[in-house]
Amino acid sequence: GAVVSQHPSWVICKSGTSVKIECRSLDFQATTMFWYRQFPKQSLMLMATSNEGSKATYEQGVEKDKFLINHASLTLSTLTVTSAHPEDSSFYICSATASSSGNTIYFGEGSWLTVV
Amino acid sequence: GENVEQHPSTLSVQEGDSAVIKCTYSDSASNYFPWYKQELGKRPQLIIDIRSNVGEKKDQRIAVTLNKTAKHFSLHITETQPEDSAVYFCAAGFSGTASKLTFGTGTRLQVTL
């Protein structure tokens, strides 16, 4: 079946630096991908909709200049956390829909970000 | 936007008993309602889903019911086993090529021996 892959699985970065997380659809094309954030013991919260070839759509309260999203191809979306702070430490996970599989939603493995 | 509420937040049942988790949603236009099981630090795993054109769906020990009029849906797990212990999330959204989901707050299910 369709697979969505995320990289890296976990990353530690220093405060003030930037970190990039990749989300790839391995065997299908995804014009739209979604980025979620999940704090410990909490639910998944939608951050933004990543649109291939155009600007991302951000949910209310999510800073677009801090969480840069680039969807340059039909199989890759990237999320860059800029000027990271400890409060950005979270589990980031992407999803994509495979129309070839009856519009099934596939999630990436998730990426643990720890900002120290 | 969509708002999904989920209850209870924690649920403890004895092995073999049934577990029921309930969710309500606010957007009557939502037509897709999946349920996910999530282990700590892992991606959500789809366990069952239902679309708005049906009222009930069953897959072995797991069933989901949907009441569109009342805008609520429920997950039913029968004959629970210790390996069912996990956090369960309901979600609501639109079925299509770009499906974003609004998740409930989660239910931590503990199945005790």
Side-chain angles (χ1 to χ4, degrees), chain A residues 9-102:
Chain A
S9 300
W10 56 271
V11 58
I12 301 173
C13 71
K14 292 184 177 181
S15 290
T17 62
S18 296
V19 61
K20 180 185 290 186
I21 301 170
E22 295 185 345
C23 179
R24 293 182 184 272
S25 56
L26 297 185
D27 54 0
F28 66 98
Q29 294 182 335
T31 56
T32 305
M33 293 184 177
F34 299 96
W35 286 97
Y36 296 84
R37 178 170 55 184
Q38 185 177 30
F39 292 109
K41 296 186 179 182
Q42 294 189 24
S43 187
L44 288 81
M45 299 298 294
L46 180 65
M47 298 176 66
T49 302
S50 175
N51 304 299
E52 188 269 333
S54 64
K55 292 182 179 180
T57 306
Y58 291 82
E59 296 298 304
Q60 191 173 7
V62 178
E63 300 174 58
K64 60 178 172 57
D65 294 329
K66 180 171 182 59
F67 299 98
L68 302 179
I69 291 173
N70 183 279
H71 195 150
S73 78
L74 288 171
T75 59
L76 174 64
S77 174
T78 61
L79 169 68
T80 301
V81 182
T82 64
S83 187
H85 291 140
E87 55 264 33
D88 297 325
S89 300
S90 186
F91 187 57
Y92 292 87
I93 191 165
C94 66
S95 75
T97 304
S99 57
S100 58
S101 300

Side-chain angles (χ1 to χ4, degrees), chain B residues 40-87:
Chain B
L40 183 64
K42 302 283 183 66
R43 76 180 99 192
Q45 295 286 342
L46 178 69
I47 56 172
I48 196 168
D49 59 8
I50 191 167
R51 299 178 194 276
S52 59
N53 57 344
V54 298
E56 185 174 359
K57 183 177 179 181
K58 188 174 182 180
D59 182 5
Q60 299 183 345
R61 297 187 296 111
I62 297 173
V64 57
T65 59
L66 170 65
N67 184 324
K68 287 174 54 181
T69 303
K71 294 205 285 283
H72 65 69
F73 55 113
S74 301
L75 176 71
H76 303 253
I77 305 175
T78 59
E79 301 173 30
T80 54
Q81 302 167 2
E83 49 266 38
D84 294 330
S85 297
V87 178

